[in-house]
Amino acid sequence: MLLRPATESDQHTIRVLVREGGINPMDLDWRHFVVAENEAGEAVAIGQIKTHRDGSPELASIAVRKDQRGQGLARAVIEHLLTLHSGDLYLTCRSNFGPMYEKFGFREIHEEKMPKYFRRLKKVAGVFEMLAGQGEYMMVMKRGSGW
């Protein structure tokens, strides 16, 4: 497996993997992504660190091609992205994924500790969670100082 910065030609694959993964399709600028390629040179996993208007950085868009899951590709992408970023880092995920991100040093944070972007997002998500009523919720997590 090869990890590399995304190129403009990866934009379509990024969109496909994000859609396939059922994750947030906003802010998919290829310039913020890394791509994992298999031995055949096919993009099989992606991830990015994006910065929001309020300056908060987010680990986001971690996606692995369906037929390639369970091989440690998401872990490799996350570990690579973490080496590229020092300081505080946030993420949002479905609550059932929280334990996976805890392995990388992320901890769930309360609303009063969230940057403005994530407080707004959490409020919007709360409305949908109530309507869906499935017991799962959107978790905001942070890696770094001050929980």
Side-chain angles (χ1 to χ4, degrees), residues 25-94:
M26 303 299 290
D27 301 319
L28 301 179
D29 184 340
W30 63 268
R31 291 173 283 223
H32 301 139
F33 277 83
V34 296
V35 173
E37 286 184 353
N38 62 15
E39 295 76 26
E42 302 167 317
V44 293
I46 57 167
Q48 70 167 322
I49 294 179
K50 59 183 174 182
T51 303
H52 299 289
R53 287 188 190 134
D54 66 2
S56 56
E58 180 182 12
L59 176 71
S61 311
I62 307 300
V64 178
R65 204 168 78 185
K66 282 182 182 179
D67 65 338
Q68 299 291 308
R69 292 182 184 160
Q71 299 180 36
L73 294 169
R75 172 178 287 284
V77 168
I78 292 167
E79 288 174 346
H80 179 75
L81 287 167
L82 293 177
T83 66
L84 301 176
H85 183 84
S86 61
D88 293 345
L89 187 61
Y90 299 87
L91 66 80
T92 60
C93 65
R94 291 185 290 254

Side-chain angles (χ1 to χ4, degrees), residues 3-147:
L3 277 165
R4 62 170 174 78
T7 63
E8 189 171 2
S9 64
D10 293 312
Q11 186 67 51
H12 176 73
T13 300
I14 290 168
R15 285 195 174 115
V16 167
L17 288 176
V18 163
R19 185 175 35 244
E20 187 178 274
I23 54 180
N24 182 351
M26 303 299 290
D27 301 319
L28 301 179
D29 184 340
W30 63 268
R31 291 173 283 223
H32 301 139
F33 277 83
V34 296
V35 173
E37 286 184 353
N38 62 15
E39 295 76 26
E42 302 167 317
V44 293
I46 57 167
Q48 70 167 322
I49 294 179
K50 59 183 174 182
T51 303
H52 299 289
R53 287 188 190 134
D54 66 2
S56 56
E58 180 182 12
L59 176 71
S61 311
I62 307 300
V64 178
R65 204 168 78 185
K66 282 182 182 179
D67 65 338
Q68 299 291 308
R69 292 182 184 160
Q71 299 180 36
L73 294 169
R75 172 178 287 284
V77 168
I78 292 167
E79 288 174 346
H80 179 75
L81 287 167
L82 293 177
T83 66
L84 301 176
H85 183 84
S86 61
D88 293 345
L89 187 61
Y90 299 87
L91 66 80
T92 60
C93 65
R94 291 185 290 254
S95 55
N96 63 321
F97 287 116
M100 181 188 79
Y101 288 109
E102 287 176 355
K103 294 175 187 174
F104 297 100
F106 286 89
R107 300 288 175 260
E108 183 173 13
I109 58 172
H110 297 286
E111 192 169 329
E112 68 272 3
K113 301 246 182 184
M114 293 177 194
K116 192 177 193 179
Y117 169 82
F118 292 98
R119 282 194 309 268
R120 281 194 315 264
L121 186 62
K122 183 76 173 158
K123 285 180 184 171
V124 170
V127 171
F128 291 107
E129 289 161 3
M130 276 182 12
L131 295 173
Q134 297 184 5
E136 227 178 86
Y137 64 96
M138 186 193 82
M139 182 181 280
V140 177
M141 302 182 84
K142 179 181 178 186
R143 181 178 193 260
S145 61
W147 308 113

